[in-house]
Amino acid sequence: MTKILTKHFDEATLHELATYERLGGYQGLKKALAMAPADVTAEVVKSNLRGLGGAGFPTGAKWGTVPPTDKVPGPRYVVVNCDESEPGCFKDRVLVTRAPHQLIEGLLIAAHAVGARQTFIFIRGEYQNQYDVLARAVAEAAAAGHAKHASIDLMRGAGAYISGLDTALLETMEGKKAWPRQPPPFPTVAGLMGQPTVVNNVETLSMLPFILREGGEAFAKIGSAKNGGTVVFSVSGHVEKPGVYEVPMGTKLRDVLALAGGVRGGRKLKCVIPGGTSMPPLMEKDLDLALDFDAIRAAGTFLGAGGMIVLDETADAVEVAHNIERFLAHESCGQCTPCREGSFWNEEILHRMLHGKATAEDAPNLARIGENITGKVICALGDTVGMVTRAYLQRFPEDFKKRVSSNG
Amino acid sequence: MSAFTPEQEKVLVAWTKRYPYPNMGLVEALRSVQEWHRCVTPAAAARVAELFELPFSRVWGVATFFPSFTTKPTGRHRVGLCHGLSCSLAGSDKMETCLEETLGTKAFETSADGKLSWEPMECLGACEQGPALLVNDRLQGQATPDKIAKLKELK
Amino acid sequence: MAKRVKFKLNGREIEAEEGRLVIDAAKDVGVEIPHYCYHPALGNPGNCRMCVVEVAGAPKPQISCRTAVREGLDVQSDSAAAKRAQASALELHLVNHPLDCPVCDQSGECGLQDYYMKIGQYQSQVRENKQHKDKRVEAGPHVMLDQERCILCTRCTRFVENVTKTYELGVFRRGHAERVELTPGKVLDNDYSGNVVDICPVGALTDRDFRYKVRVWYLDKTDSVCPGCSRGCAVSVHTNTKRPWHNDGKRVARLKPRYNPEINGHWMCDEGRYGFGSLDRDRLGRVLRLAPREEELSWDAACAAIASELRGGAVAFVASGMLSNEDWSAAKTLFAGAKFYFTPEPDQIGAEDALLKRKEKVPNLKAAEALGLKSGSFDELAADLDAGRVRVLYVVERDLGRIWGEERAKTLVSRAACGVFQGPNACAVSEAFRYRLPATAYVEESGRFTNFEGKVSKYEKALEPIGSAKPDWEIFDAIRAALETSGKGAAA
């Protein structure tokens, strides 16, 4: 299968500049710098690259919304979102540990495309090892003269999941609580310190060297319709070989599972969370689904950031829903009422259900609460709070019923 | 009297100058404070506010918002055990019990000598190695009874 | 001038300024969309999610505090779906709310109660224990904080951040642990602290001065003007006459600011808000001649007697900026030819700031100026009194003891052949005058004040006068009528 980002992962010193350059590194940047910025963006539009941090928004189109300087004067920024915190996702960690220069090259290409003279890598504080790798690579790249058109600086987060949401990330960078903003304006128009800012995920930016080197069309050809290139799944849970697996967009779920060695111990599959725990699970019937943003959307869930968690028949839906809702309640930023109160309420009900005090009203009540939250909150975390429990209720009603009958 | 040594003050001032705008260094500055004091007290946050020329309530809002900052001192070595879904499926509850028994402290408690504290943490981005163990913001791979026992040997 | 456009609200075509927030445009035409966090002077953080409306073409409900009016916009704020969305937002506000309405001072004017009656679902589905937070925080000298009742709308924190810039309150911690708290080491003691009680849509911030005194539904509300300084903030006087045994027997329960974009916006200062305590202290209710022996007079007899004193000339008229426009005007006519003394002395001068507070702590010096009245200095008056050059000393609502000291004031008053004291309250030297006339307090009359910028505000009568008290202008007019009966004006 075609690989782009992980192609050279068997090179032990890939994180070093010399190795990276030997394998064709920084050729894409060289090509980009010789092009007009608008042409770089056009190439990315052609590539069908989608935002791999979760939203799946076409990257080229996003860049295209950065206003011209005569409309909005002042600096432009590019920010790398390396705040990977969605349960089930760890591909960014692997990508920056193994191929930091791939990200840096992509970042420098993006900076040229949108006219940014300053760029930042925002990385979660718990990735101190990865921070060190990146800091070294940034210094190497600068010393080699790759970053003459744009500076790169690093900044660490402080343990809040919500900082991974673009506008909350910008608030964090501005030294504020990570309370999401409510667009419009979108960050590309008014982002960091009110200036046009492109926030892109690690994996998204890491695709750019290939796109510039090989051309947008070559990248688009690798993927499925409107979903260019590859996607790196982080696979964990009940599989034989958890790890990162890069596959072309449109690869079947069954094939991704096979790469990870299948369900552990030959057990029966219960469901697969495709993109991190915020996403409703896919079922056995979806095994032949060709995974890309649009196909997964049509199947009622999201590709998200490719954090795939496999659950076998031993998993209990109430326990799973509780684990996820507990996480969301802990990470709710507290800004808007439905999420703050709703996540607390959901967790309390599920906790009670797990502790032998479930009632017949709990399931319909959870479904009702969920409906009252999703779509009525400030950000995607809140939408998730309402979505997760409903998804498990709908797919595994018997697990919830069992809790009622096993009482007392 | 400042909550910081002259050297520490220099570090904080450096954070005000590191990024294009002073306030952009605030979270990093508070990370430094947490590292030095193992917590962020109101007095320390107030001094940071002065150095950043920000209202104290804003700095205190940030200090109490982010889980990396604590109001009571953590251990000199702060241990995290992931209890996200994958790590939970991989048995994080057993490793929590192991931490409690081996270190002799409950979650969020600091050992009497101030050396160690442990806490369950949300997804650490190491789901393939669950249950993931973190020491002082550095991932340590999968938590095992052996690794947990070795925590006691930390200085 | 912004463009006016047409949009639809609940099927009705409405014209509004393009870009105006739907929540405001709806209010303009009498449609109140439920909300907590939005406040026109404090912005629209959009955190309460109560003001959700249906917008044609939008995939999900929109919040009307962040939706701008544009041509052709089609909004439903009372459709079944909009109401359901509002009801669900309300339900989530109540998950951790203690529902201690019977002991809450906000009862009767609480956003949670009001919307619950309007759109609430009446059967609670909450079976879980509620979170406990601090219920009794003395936030400052005037304000109590109950964190359990708080719905975290952040109006109060935005007030101390953006209006007073004093930062005493903040939203600290995160998620459901989040709470409004005092910033460590701070006390909510800025000069405008009482406003946080007004803007709090629930019972989280209550007024220490008003707590447990009287239920709000027993209060009557009258439009008035704060007499505390020359700003003349629009206020509402809340009076308690239906339950006279409540509120420690006091008739005025509280003052609240009244929105006036020209003068005070939404706010008032604590000095004005809590300054009404002396209103009913040592009230004068009877028309008296105190010397040579105390005797009660009818208004007619008193006016006739005073008129005959005035005929002798050498009159000094002492007043203060407490007089209304009507009073000043009547005084000007009655005391034509007399010397006027009303310039503020140090006891009427205080602190001012950039927000509302003015240094002249009386409301209406401007009207005297507008009538062309000039004030002599009180030193001059003292010298004239001392030298026996003043025959009639007529003092309205001014405590000379606070200018000259009590003993000296009494001595000086006694130098005039005839002294008249008129006002709502007795003062240290009011016993030294021959005549003592009861006047109404500003809450017992209607009238106008002209503020320092020349803006005229009307205040309405909120309470009945004490005893036979009358407004100053009525007294002046009656004396003038007595003078005219005998065919002569007041002598110069």
Side-chain angles (χ1 to χ4, degrees), chain B residues 55-150:
Chain B
F56 171 46
S57 69
R58 155 122 173 237
V59 175
W60 190 241
V62 172
T64 57
F65 181 89
F66 288 99
S68 294
F69 310 134
T70 58
T71 49
K72 296 211 172 76
T74 66
R76 285 195 301 285
H77 301 286
R78 187 178 181 182
V79 178
L81 183 79
C82 182
H83 65 166
L85 183 57
S86 298
C87 292
S88 168
L89 294 173
S92 60
D93 54 340
K94 288 186 192 73
M95 287 303 111
E96 284 186 19
T97 311
C98 178
L99 276 162
E100 196 175 312
E101 284 169 358
T102 310
L103 304 185
T105 52
K106 290 200 160 57
F108 299 103
E109 278 179 13
T110 301
S111 60
D113 59 2
K115 189 165 87 177
L116 280 164
S117 64
W118 73 273
E119 62 199 89
M121 285 186 176
E122 299 306 342
C123 183
L124 292 171
C127 319
E128 84 279 37
Q129 307 163 12
L133 186 70
L134 184 86
V135 179
N136 299 328
D137 282 340
R138 290 181 190 276
L139 287 165
Q140 308 292 324
Q142 187 177 30
T144 60
D146 274 0
K147 274 189 201 163
I148 289 170
K150 285 214 174 87

Side-chain angles (χ1 to χ4, degrees), chain A residues 90 93 124-126 128-129 132 153-159 173-175 193 236 311 323 326-327 331, chain B residues 18-19 21 23-24 26 28 31 58 66-68 83 85-86 89 122-123 125-129 137-138:
Chain A
F90 49 90
R93 189 200 88 231
R124 65 179 298 184
E126 295 80 3
Q128 187 60 49
N129 290 330
D132 293 346
D153 207 347
L154 280 84
M155 187 186 286
R156 288 169 296 181
M173 287 186 73
E174 291 181 9
M193 301 307 291
S236 66
L311 298 170
N323 182 288
R326 190 220 62 231
F327 165 76
E331 297 301 331
Chain B
R18 162 88 176 250
Y19 300 105
Y21 298 88
N23 51 322
M24 283 178 65
L26 182 64
E28 282 283 10
R31 288 184 60 91
R58 155 122 173 237
F66 288 99
S68 294
H83 65 166
L85 183 57
S86 298
L89 294 173
E122 299 306 342
C123 183
C127 319
E128 84 279 37
Q129 307 163 12
D137 282 340
R138 290 181 190 276

Side-chain angles (χ1 to χ4, degrees), chain C residues 66-89:
Chain C
R66 292 181 77 88
T67 304
V69 169
R70 59 175 192 273
E71 184 72 46
L73 187 75
D74 185 357
V75 178
Q76 294 276 349
S77 71
D78 63 359
S79 63
K83 279 196 168 150
R84 208 163 43 239
Q86 291 161 8
S88 68

